[in-house]
Amino acid sequence: MTNEKFAYEVTTVTKFIQIYCTDKHKELPKIKQEKTLTYEGVPDVVSVSYELCKDCENMLNYSFARLCACPHVQKPRCHTCPHPCYELPMWKRMAKMMKYSGMKLGLNKIKRLFLRDKDG
């Protein structure tokens, strides 16, 4: 995968896990971090900031490791990949996080469009 695609995937997974953690783990202490990732020997391909509970940070780090190890030149969506690299329990957990965050992002987009049309 290209460096640009890697950066996009890392940014997306960070955003999704951040939304999930913010909503579902309100009572847990959060760790504020900034990470700069290297991909295929190229330093500083992408930098991300997040504030997550320890469990969600572990999931994010696992996701980063899986993305770094992805063998595909044209990266497929993970749920359609012929050779999934996530272990089944982690895949189920990530699917739950992505479904929740994707729904929330979709509803927010619809809400913004509705408010824009209402004001305009």
Side-chain angles (χ1 to χ4, degrees):
M1 113 179 75
T2 65
N3 289 346
E4 292 78 19
K5 177 70 171 168
F6 176 76
Y8 173 79
E9 293 289 334
V10 165
T11 303
T12 301
V13 77
T14 302
K15 183 186 298 184
F16 274 55
I17 293 174
Q18 181 67 67
I19 289 168
Y20 184 87
C21 187
T22 299
D23 289 0
K24 298 289 188 173
H25 301 150
K26 292 177 184 163
E27 71 288 348
L28 297 176
K30 305 289 191 280
I31 302 162
K32 193 171 190 167
Q33 289 277 357
E34 183 167 330
K35 273 197 177 165
T36 302
L37 299 175
T38 297
Y39 180 65
E40 293 190 339
V42 179
D44 306 337
V45 170
V46 63
S47 183
V48 290
S49 298
Y50 55 86
E51 191 169 349
L52 302 171
C53 70
K54 190 64 178 162
D55 196 39
C56 288
E57 183 185 28
N58 289 339
M59 186 69 207
L60 186 63
N61 287 331
Y62 181 83
S63 298
F64 290 165
R66 300 295 89 203
L67 283 168
C68 285
C70 182
H72 301 285
V73 174
Q74 293 290 331
K75 185 190 174 311
R77 290 180 172 239
C78 291
H79 70 277
T80 61
C81 184
H83 308 288
C85 58
Y86 276 66
E87 295 168 15
L88 188 58
M90 297 299 267
W91 185 86
K92 287 181 177 181
R93 195 165 147 220
M94 178 56 80
K96 180 180 172 184
M97 292 175 147
M98 298 292 273
K99 181 178 179 182
Y100 176 85
S101 298
M103 288 289 290
K104 184 153 183 156
L105 285 171
L107 291 173
N108 283 339
K109 186 176 182 180
I110 291 168
K111 184 178 174 183
R112 282 193 309 272
L113 289 172
F114 174 76
L115 291 174
R116 188 186 72 200
D117 289 345
K118 189 177 171 183
D119 292 340

